Amino acid sequence: MNATLPVYSLDWTTVPEVAKLLEPAASTLLRFPNLVIFLYDRHVQALVLSFIMLILLRTTTTRHSVLEGIPWTGVDGRTFFPRTRATLRSVLQNREHLEEGFRKFSRHGIPFILPNLLTGPDVILPRSQVQWLLDQPSSILSQAEVNRYFLEADYTMLHPNIVRDTVHERVIRAHLQKQLECLTDDIMEELTLQLDRSWGLDTGNWKIVPVFDSMTEVFYSTINRVLVGLPLCRDEKYLYHNSRVFQYCLFVAGLINLTPSLFKPLLAPFITILDRYHYSYCARKVEPLIRSRMEALRYSGKLSLVHKNDYIQWAINDTMDHPDPYERSPEMISKRLAVLQFAAIITSIITMTNTLFDLVSSPMFSEYWADLREEVEGVLAEEAGFWTHHGTTKMVRMDSAIKESLRMGGVVSRGLMKKVVIKEGIRLPGGIHLPYGVQVGVSSYTTQRDETIYPDPDIYNASRFCQGGFGGKEVGNMEPLLESTLKPTPAPARDMYAPFVKTTETFMAFSHGRHACPGRFFAASQLKLALAYIVLNYDVEPIPVREPHLWFVNSIAPPMKATLRIKRRKGTA
């Protein structure tokens, strides 16, 4: 595979499929034969512009009145329409708003309102109220409803049931977490193949690598090895389309969110057309595979006779007894797979990209790289030269380096966010009433940059989470700590040196509590394996300054076009 996935010209045999996807909206529009000509009229264009302004006004004024009594962040009282202006600025200045709110309010135990253009104002609680937030049942405060609304999941996630009935989460907990040791050989085989192709085997010359693109290439193949298996995980055209399903999910969801509810069913099929086009190609590859597995299962009559160890097989086995026949269909299993692929893969790409840039831009890069390499060599020696999941639990320095990068950036700025779903609303511990529909939560970004918890919070310290630092007493086995990772514990001192899969009130990269990301154990294993392989086999040229994170409302991305100079180590090719 090249540094970037190849671009394919449009396969015209798919045009009928695209037309079929457009049919719901197109059938409505065809009732108005002069619509296209009509849109060229300047008066109509003025109406469209007015419609857009109406959407913005609706979004920026919604729920202002019901949240009186809670201070706002990002608001300049000396200007006209200060809250509306703050809400518009939230698209690109969310980080500044969060930092201001933390300084003025959270640090003093006061809730504040964070402007949000897409979903309306959010109530951000101080860290002292995290446990209260966790204690509320889902019938009062729902995290699932936040995700559904934020992603406009009824329109963007291929089927409304995918977010409402999280079957795939049950499959992950029941199967993936228990299979990590068995899957390590497959993961490592794919990582080795893809990194060797993308980063190269040339030990004599430095090579410029676009980091985000190369990690996209590596992780789409590697994680699909676990999700769909061979040979599909190496089908370049499948990977091309797979990597573009939900590629612009945040922007698409934002556009739908800004659209008045009355028009969403009409406009959503057009807004999501690219995602559905790419998914339609993937479905034509995946659904026959699912059908063949189902036929094999029916023929054998026993799950044990179907020798496949990937998500597709786990999902088939799990849904055999589901009361809804549609959930047992290849179509629905394929749709759930597509959503899981996006969620699992994009977070790994972002995390590894950030970790590499954080490491190579640190003044301590040479020492960090050498210490990490020493750890990997030591673990491999203990494991008789084999890459094992058990071995990754011994990579304490590696764990700390990745955890520190997640602390500084992550994927989203919120650690916990829930929506009030009880009609009469709820009162905060201080007595403030939150009405139905309001979103309330805590910010992981400001918590994880709180200097009272993390000294020098704006400096990347790869050894921060190693007791004694790199070269100290930290090298050991994390497996005993992993036993308690599902239980939220509020004591930061006790959890400071825990592995990064352990969520706490002070580290919420994977959220926190009973709804913490169930796939984080798999993510930790393959992230450490990937970084270990890179450290062991490549030299990387340090950079003086790291490019900043990119923000879009509360989502955080790494520098997507930045590059590194790398070279294969002699004797490793």
Side-chain angles (χ1 to χ4, degrees), residues 117-165:
L117 177 66
L118 301 184
T119 60
D122 298 325
V123 177
I124 304 298
L125 302 179
R127 186 162 56 89
S128 59
Q129 296 181 13
V130 170
Q131 193 56 49
W132 172 86
L133 190 67
L134 290 171
D135 290 341
Q136 305 310 307
S138 296
S139 59
I140 295 176
L141 293 179
S142 171
Q143 189 163 321
E145 279 300 301
V146 170
N147 295 333
R148 178 169 164 258
Y149 185 50
F150 166 62
L151 294 171
E152 283 290 348
D154 289 355
Y155 301 103
T156 62
M157 295 288 107
L158 303 175
H159 194 283
N161 279 1
I162 289 177
V163 172
R164 292 174 181 170
D165 182 6

Short mmCIF file of all heavy atoms in Angstrom, two decimals, residues 117-165:
data_model
loop_
_atom_site.label_atom_id
_atom_site.label_comp_id
_atom_site.label_asym_id
_atom_site.label_seq_id
_atom_site.Cartn_x
_atom_site.Cartn_y
_atom_site.Cartn_z
N LEU A 117 -22.84 25.75 19.46
CA LEU A 117 -23.68 26.08 18.32
C LEU A 117 -24.52 24.90 17.87
O LEU A 117 -25.67 25.06 17.47
CB LEU A 117 -22.81 26.56 17.15
CG LEU A 117 -23.56 26.87 15.85
CD1 LEU A 117 -24.48 28.06 16.03
CD2 LEU A 117 -22.58 27.12 14.71
N LEU A 118 -23.96 23.69 17.95
CA LEU A 118 -24.62 22.53 17.35
C LEU A 118 -25.70 21.93 18.22
O LEU A 118 -26.75 21.53 17.73
CB LEU A 118 -23.58 21.46 16.99
CG LEU A 118 -22.49 21.91 16.03
CD1 LEU A 118 -21.58 20.74 15.69
CD2 LEU A 118 -23.10 22.50 14.75
N THR A 119 -25.45 21.82 19.51
CA THR A 119 -26.40 21.12 20.38
C THR A 119 -27.03 22.01 21.43
O THR A 119 -27.79 21.53 22.27
CB THR A 119 -25.71 19.93 21.08
OG1 THR A 119 -24.62 20.42 21.86
CG2 THR A 119 -25.21 18.93 20.07
N GLY A 120 -26.73 23.31 21.40
CA GLY A 120 -27.27 24.19 22.42
C GLY A 120 -26.34 24.27 23.62
O GLY A 120 -25.39 23.50 23.75
N PRO A 121 -26.60 25.19 24.54
CA PRO A 121 -25.70 25.40 25.68
C PRO A 121 -25.63 24.18 26.60
O PRO A 121 -26.64 23.56 26.90
CB PRO A 121 -26.33 26.60 26.41
CG PRO A 121 -27.75 26.64 25.95
CD PRO A 121 -27.75 26.12 24.56
N ASP A 122 -24.41 23.83 27.01
CA ASP A 122 -24.17 22.72 27.93
C ASP A 122 -23.87 23.27 29.31
O ASP A 122 -23.18 24.29 29.46
CB ASP A 122 -22.98 21.88 27.48
CG ASP A 122 -23.20 21.23 26.12
OD1 ASP A 122 -24.35 20.86 25.84
OD2 ASP A 122 -22.22 21.09 25.36
N VAL A 123 -24.37 22.59 30.34
CA VAL A 123 -24.05 22.95 31.72
C VAL A 123 -22.84 22.11 32.14
O VAL A 123 -22.89 20.88 32.14
CB VAL A 123 -25.24 22.68 32.66
CG1 VAL A 123 -24.85 22.99 34.10
CG2 VAL A 123 -26.44 23.52 32.25
N ILE A 124 -21.74 22.79 32.49
CA ILE A 124 -20.50 22.11 32.88
C ILE A 124 -20.37 22.19 34.40
O ILE A 124 -20.37 23.28 34.99
CB ILE A 124 -19.28 22.76 32.21
CG1 ILE A 124 -19.45 22.77 30.68
CG2 ILE A 124 -18.01 22.03 32.62
CD1 ILE A 124 -19.57 21.39 30.06
N LEU A 125 -20.26 21.01 35.02
CA LEU A 125 -20.19 20.93 36.48
C LEU A 125 -18.74 20.93 36.94
O LEU A 125 -17.84 20.49 36.22
CB LEU A 125 -20.85 19.64 36.96
CG LEU A 125 -22.33 19.44 36.59
CD1 LEU A 125 -22.82 18.10 37.15
CD2 LEU A 125 -23.19 20.58 37.11
N PRO A 126 -18.49 21.40 38.17
CA PRO A 126 -17.14 21.27 38.74
C PRO A 126 -16.85 19.82 39.08
O PRO A 126 -17.76 18.99 39.21
CB PRO A 126 -17.22 22.14 40.00
CG PRO A 126 -18.67 22.13 40.38
CD PRO A 126 -19.43 22.07 39.09
N ARG A 127 -15.59 19.49 39.24
CA ARG A 127 -15.19 18.11 39.49
C ARG A 127 -15.79 17.56 40.77
O ARG A 127 -16.01 16.35 40.91
CB ARG A 127 -13.66 18.01 39.53
CG ARG A 127 -13.14 16.60 39.64
CD ARG A 127 -11.66 16.54 39.24
NE ARG A 127 -10.84 17.45 40.02
CZ ARG A 127 -10.26 17.13 41.18
NH1 ARG A 127 -10.42 15.93 41.67
NH2 ARG A 127 -9.51 18.00 41.81
N SER A 128 -16.11 18.42 41.72
CA SER A 128 -16.69 17.97 43.00
C SER A 128 -18.05 17.32 42.83
O SER A 128 -18.53 16.62 43.73
CB SER A 128 -16.79 19.16 43.97
OG SER A 128 -17.61 20.19 43.41
N GLN A 129 -18.71 17.54 41.67
CA GLN A 129 -20.04 16.98 41.45
C GLN A 129 -20.04 15.79 40.48
O GLN A 129 -21.11 15.35 40.05
CB GLN A 129 -20.97 18.09 40.94
CG GLN A 129 -21.19 19.20 41.96
CD GLN A 129 -22.12 20.30 41.47
OE1 GLN A 129 -22.82 20.15 40.48
NE2 GLN A 129 -22.14 21.43 42.19
N VAL A 130 -18.86 15.27 40.17
CA VAL A 130 -18.79 14.13 39.25
C VAL A 130 -19.52 12.92 39.82
O VAL A 130 -20.27 12.23 39.11
CB VAL A 130 -17.31 13.77 38.95
CG1 VAL A 130 -17.23 12.44 38.20
CG2 VAL A 130 -16.66 14.85 38.12
N GLN A 131 -19.29 12.61 41.10
CA GLN A 131 -19.91 11.42 41.68
C GLN A 131 -21.43 11.54 41.66
O GLN A 131 -22.14 10.56 41.42
CB GLN A 131 -19.41 11.20 43.11
CG GLN A 131 -19.76 9.83 43.67
CD GLN A 131 -19.25 8.69 42.81
OE1 GLN A 131 -18.08 8.67 42.42
NE2 GLN A 131 -20.11 7.74 42.47
N TRP A 132 -21.95 12.75 41.93
CA TRP A 132 -23.40 12.96 41.86
C TRP A 132 -23.90 12.65 40.45
O TRP A 132 -24.93 11.99 40.27
CB TRP A 132 -23.74 14.40 42.22
CG TRP A 132 -25.18 14.74 41.98
CD1 TRP A 132 -26.24 14.57 42.83
CD2 TRP A 132 -25.74 15.31 40.77
NE1 TRP A 132 -27.41 14.97 42.24
CE2 TRP A 132 -27.14 15.44 40.98
CE3 TRP A 132 -25.21 15.72 39.55
CZ2 TRP A 132 -28.00 15.96 40.00
CZ3 TRP A 132 -26.06 16.24 38.60
CH2 TRP A 132 -27.43 16.35 38.82
N LEU A 133 -23.14 13.09 39.44
CA LEU A 133 -23.51 12.85 38.05
C LEU A 133 -23.53 11.35 37.75
O LEU A 133 -24.44 10.84 37.09
CB LEU A 133 -22.53 13.57 37.13
CG LEU A 133 -22.87 13.65 35.65
CD1 LEU A 133 -24.11 14.50 35.41
CD2 LEU A 133 -21.70 14.21 34.86
N LEU A 134 -22.53 10.63 38.24
CA LEU A 134 -22.45 9.19 38.01
C LEU A 134 -23.57 8.42 38.71
O LEU A 134 -24.01 7.37 38.24
CB LEU A 134 -21.10 8.65 38.50
CG LEU A 134 -19.86 9.05 37.70
CD1 LEU A 134 -18.59 8.61 38.43
CD2 LEU A 134 -19.90 8.45 36.31
N ASP A 135 -24.02 8.94 39.83
CA ASP A 135 -25.03 8.23 40.64
C ASP A 135 -26.43 8.30 40.05
O ASP A 135 -27.31 7.53 40.44
CB ASP A 135 -25.06 8.80 42.06
CG ASP A 135 -23.81 8.44 42.86
OD1 ASP A 135 -23.11 7.49 42.45
OD2 ASP A 135 -23.52 9.13 43.86
N GLN A 136 -26.67 9.23 39.11
CA GLN A 136 -28.02 9.38 38.55
C GLN A 136 -28.33 8.24 37.59
O GLN A 136 -27.52 7.92 36.72
CB GLN A 136 -28.16 10.72 37.83
CG GLN A 136 -27.81 11.92 38.69
CD GLN A 136 -28.52 11.92 40.03
OE1 GLN A 136 -29.75 11.79 40.09
NE2 GLN A 136 -27.75 12.05 41.11
N PRO A 137 -29.49 7.61 37.71
CA PRO A 137 -29.86 6.52 36.78
C PRO A 137 -30.11 7.05 35.38
O PRO A 137 -30.39 8.24 35.17
CB PRO A 137 -31.14 5.96 37.41
CG PRO A 137 -31.71 7.09 38.20
CD PRO A 137 -30.53 7.87 38.72
N SER A 138 -30.02 6.15 34.40
CA SER A 138 -30.22 6.55 33.00
C SER A 138 -31.63 7.02 32.72
O SER A 138 -31.86 7.69 31.71
CB SER A 138 -29.88 5.36 32.09
OG SER A 138 -28.52 5.01 32.21
N SER A 139 -32.58 6.70 33.59
CA SER A 139 -33.96 7.17 33.42
C SER A 139 -34.09 8.65 33.76
O SER A 139 -35.11 9.28 33.45
CB SER A 139 -34.91 6.35 34.29
OG SER A 139 -34.53 6.45 35.66
N ILE A 140 -33.07 9.22 34.38
CA ILE A 140 -33.08 10.65 34.73
C ILE A 140 -32.06 11.42 33.89
O ILE A 140 -32.37 12.44 33.27
CB ILE A 140 -32.79 10.83 36.24
CG1 ILE A 140 -33.92 10.21 37.06
CG2 ILE A 140 -32.62 12.31 36.57
CD1 ILE A 140 -33.69 10.27 38.57
N LEU A 141 -30.82 10.92 33.86
CA LEU A 141 -29.77 11.52 33.04
C LEU A 141 -29.23 10.44 32.11
O LEU A 141 -28.71 9.42 32.57
CB LEU A 141 -28.65 12.08 33.92
CG LEU A 141 -28.97 13.28 34.81
CD1 LEU A 141 -27.75 13.68 35.62
CD2 LEU A 141 -29.47 14.45 34.00
N SER A 142 -29.33 10.67 30.81
CA SER A 142 -28.96 9.64 29.82
C SER A 142 -27.75 10.06 29.00
O SER A 142 -27.77 11.10 28.35
CB SER A 142 -30.14 9.36 28.90
OG SER A 142 -29.75 8.53 27.82
N GLN A 143 -26.72 9.22 29.02
CA GLN A 143 -25.56 9.46 28.17
C GLN A 143 -25.84 9.05 26.74
O GLN A 143 -25.36 9.66 25.79
CB GLN A 143 -24.35 8.68 28.71
CG GLN A 143 -23.05 9.03 28.02
CD GLN A 143 -21.84 8.58 28.81
OE1 GLN A 143 -21.82 8.68 30.05
NE2 GLN A 143 -20.82 8.09 28.14
N ALA A 144 -26.64 8.00 26.56
CA ALA A 144 -26.99 7.53 25.21
C ALA A 144 -27.73 8.61 24.43
O ALA A 144 -27.52 8.77 23.22
CB ALA A 144 -27.82 6.26 25.30
N GLU A 145 -28.60 9.36 25.09
CA GLU A 145 -29.35 10.41 24.42
C GLU A 145 -28.44 11.55 23.96
O GLU A 145 -28.70 12.18 22.94
CB GLU A 145 -30.45 10.95 25.34
CG GLU A 145 -31.70 10.09 25.38
CD GLU A 145 -32.33 9.94 24.00
OE1 GLU A 145 -32.70 10.96 23.39
OE2 GLU A 145 -32.45 8.80 23.52
N VAL A 146 -27.39 11.81 24.72
CA VAL A 146 -26.42 12.83 24.30
C VAL A 146 -25.76 12.41 22.99
O VAL A 146 -25.65 13.19 22.05
CB VAL A 146 -25.36 13.05 25.40
CG1 VAL A 146 -24.22 13.93 24.87
CG2 VAL A 146 -25.98 13.70 26.61
N ASN A 147 -25.32 11.15 22.94
CA ASN A 147 -24.66 10.66 21.73
C ASN A 147 -25.62 10.66 20.54
O ASN A 147 -25.24 11.00 19.42
CB ASN A 147 -24.12 9.24 21.96
CG ASN A 147 -23.03 9.22 23.01
OD1 ASN A 147 -22.32 10.21 23.21
ND2 ASN A 147 -22.88 8.11 23.70
N ARG A 148 -26.84 10.27 20.81
CA ARG A 148 -27.85 10.23 19.74
C ARG A 148 -28.10 11.63 19.18
O ARG A 148 -28.19 11.82 17.96
CB ARG A 148 -29.14 9.63 20.29
CG ARG A 148 -30.29 9.57 19.31
CD ARG A 148 -31.43 8.74 19.85
NE ARG A 148 -32.64 8.98 19.09
CZ ARG A 148 -33.64 9.76 19.50
NH1 ARG A 148 -33.59 10.35 20.67
NH2 ARG A 148 -34.70 9.97 18.75
N TYR A 149 -28.18 12.61 20.04
CA TYR A 149 -28.47 13.97 19.61
C TYR A 149 -27.24 14.61 18.97
O TYR A 149 -27.32 15.25 17.92
CB TYR A 149 -28.92 14.79 20.82
CG TYR A 149 -29.36 16.20 20.50
CD1 TYR A 149 -30.28 16.46 19.48
CD2 TYR A 149 -28.87 17.29 21.23
CE1 TYR A 149 -30.68 17.76 19.19
CE2 TYR A 149 -29.28 18.58 20.95
CZ TYR A 149 -30.17 18.81 19.93
OH TYR A 149 -30.56 20.09 19.64
N PHE A 150 -26.07 14.42 19.60
CA PHE A 150 -24.82 15.01 19.11
C PHE A 150 -24.49 14.50 17.71
O PHE A 150 -24.09 15.27 16.83
CB PHE A 150 -23.70 14.68 20.10
CG PHE A 150 -22.32 14.92 19.57
CD1 PHE A 150 -21.91 16.20 19.21
CD2 PHE A 150 -21.40 13.89 19.44
CE1 PHE A 150 -20.63 16.44 18.73
CE2 PHE A 150 -20.12 14.11 18.97
CZ PHE A 150 -19.74 15.39 18.61
N LEU A 151 -24.68 13.21 17.48
CA LEU A 151 -24.37 12.60 16.18
C LEU A 151 -25.55 12.61 15.22
O LEU A 151 -25.40 12.15 14.09
CB LEU A 151 -23.89 11.16 16.39
CG LEU A 151 -22.56 10.99 17.13
CD1 LEU A 151 -22.32 9.52 17.45
CD2 LEU A 151 -21.41 11.55 16.31
N GLU A 152 -26.71 13.10 15.67
CA GLU A 152 -27.94 12.99 14.89
C GLU A 152 -28.08 11.55 14.36
O GLU A 152 -28.30 11.30 13.17
CB GLU A 152 -27.94 14.00 13.72
CG GLU A 152 -28.24 15.42 14.14
CD GLU A 152 -29.69 15.63 14.58
OE1 GLU A 152 -30.53 14.72 14.35
OE2 GLU A 152 -30.00 16.69 15.14
N ALA A 153 -27.94 10.62 15.31
CA ALA A 153 -27.77 9.21 14.96
C ALA A 153 -28.95 8.63 14.17
O ALA A 153 -28.77 7.69 13.39
CB ALA A 153 -27.53 8.39 16.22
N ASP A 154 -30.14 9.16 14.37
CA ASP A 154 -31.30 8.64 13.63
C ASP A 154 -31.12 8.81 12.12
O ASP A 154 -31.71 8.06 11.33
CB ASP A 154 -32.58 9.35 14.07
CG ASP A 154 -33.00 8.94 15.48
OD1 ASP A 154 -32.36 8.03 16.05
OD2 ASP A 154 -33.97 9.51 16.00
N TYR A 155 -30.28 9.78 11.73
CA TYR A 155 -30.08 10.06 10.31
C TYR A 155 -28.68 9.67 9.82
O TYR A 155 -28.51 9.33 8.65
CB TYR A 155 -30.30 11.55 10.03
CG TYR A 155 -31.67 12.03 10.41
CD1 TYR A 155 -31.88 12.76 11.58
CD2 TYR A 155 -32.79 11.75 9.61
CE1 TYR A 155 -33.15 13.19 11.95
CE2 TYR A 155 -34.05 12.18 9.97
CZ TYR A 155 -34.24 12.90 11.14
OH TYR A 155 -35.49 13.32 11.48
N THR A 156 -27.66 9.74 10.70
CA THR A 156 -26.29 9.54 10.25
C THR A 156 -25.77 8.11 10.46
O THR A 156 -24.87 7.68 9.75
CB THR A 156 -25.33 10.49 10.98
OG1 THR A 156 -25.37 10.21 12.40
CG2 THR A 156 -25.73 11.94 10.74
N MET A 157 -26.31 7.39 11.43
CA MET A 157 -25.74 6.10 11.82
C MET A 157 -26.41 4.91 11.13
O MET A 157 -26.47 3.81 11.69
CB MET A 157 -25.79 5.93 13.33
CG MET A 157 -24.94 6.91 14.10
SD MET A 157 -23.15 6.61 13.96
CE MET A 157 -22.66 7.94 12.87
N LEU A 158 -26.96 5.13 9.94
CA LEU A 158 -27.49 4.08 9.07
C LEU A 158 -28.80 3.47 9.54
O LEU A 158 -29.62 3.04 8.73
CB LEU A 158 -26.46 2.96 8.87
CG LEU A 158 -25.10 3.40 8.31
CD1 LEU A 158 -24.12 2.24 8.28
CD2 LEU A 158 -25.26 3.99 6.90
N HIS A 159 -29.03 3.40 10.87
CA HIS A 159 -30.31 2.90 11.40
C HIS A 159 -30.48 3.43 12.82
O HIS A 159 -29.52 3.39 13.62
CB HIS A 159 -30.33 1.38 11.40
CG HIS A 159 -31.70 0.80 11.60
ND1 HIS A 159 -32.31 0.75 12.84
CD2 HIS A 159 -32.59 0.27 10.71
CE1 HIS A 159 -33.51 0.20 12.73
NE2 HIS A 159 -33.71 -0.09 11.45
N PRO A 160 -31.67 3.91 13.18
CA PRO A 160 -31.88 4.48 14.52
C PRO A 160 -31.58 3.52 15.67
O PRO A 160 -31.17 3.95 16.75
CB PRO A 160 -33.37 4.88 14.52
CG PRO A 160 -33.71 5.06 13.07
CD PRO A 160 -32.87 4.06 12.33
N ASN A 161 -31.76 2.22 15.47
CA ASN A 161 -31.56 1.26 16.55
C ASN A 161 -30.11 1.12 16.97
O ASN A 161 -29.83 0.61 18.06
CB ASN A 161 -32.08 -0.12 16.14
CG ASN A 161 -33.58 -0.25 16.31
OD1 ASN A 161 -34.23 0.70 16.72
ND2 ASN A 161 -34.13 -1.40 16.00
N ILE A 162 -29.18 1.54 16.14
CA ILE A 162 -27.76 1.31 16.43
C ILE A 162 -27.33 2.03 17.69
O ILE A 162 -26.54 1.50 18.48
CB ILE A 162 -26.91 1.71 15.22
CG1 ILE A 162 -27.14 0.71 14.08
CG2 ILE A 162 -25.43 1.79 15.58
CD1 ILE A 162 -26.43 1.01 12.80
N VAL A 163 -27.83 3.22 17.92
CA VAL A 163 -27.50 3.96 19.14
C VAL A 163 -28.47 3.63 20.26
O VAL A 163 -28.09 3.55 21.43
CB VAL A 163 -27.48 5.48 18.87
CG1 VAL A 163 -27.32 6.26 20.15
CG2 VAL A 163 -26.34 5.81 17.91
N ARG A 164 -29.72 3.38 19.93
CA ARG A 164 -30.72 3.11 20.97
C ARG A 164 -30.54 1.74 21.60
O ARG A 164 -30.72 1.57 22.81
CB ARG A 164 -32.12 3.22 20.36
CG ARG A 164 -32.50 4.62 19.94
CD ARG A 164 -33.82 4.64 19.21
NE ARG A 164 -34.18 5.98 18.77
CZ ARG A 164 -35.18 6.25 17.95
NH1 ARG A 164 -35.92 5.28 17.46
NH2 ARG A 164 -35.44 7.50 17.60
N ASP A 165 -30.22 0.74 20.80
CA ASP A 165 -30.04 -0.63 21.29
C ASP A 165 -28.62 -1.04 20.95
O ASP A 165 -28.33 -1.50 19.85
CB ASP A 165 -31.05 -1.57 20.63
CG ASP A 165 -30.93 -3.00 21.14
OD1 ASP A 165 -30.15 -3.22 22.08
OD2 ASP A 165 -31.61 -3.88 20.60
#
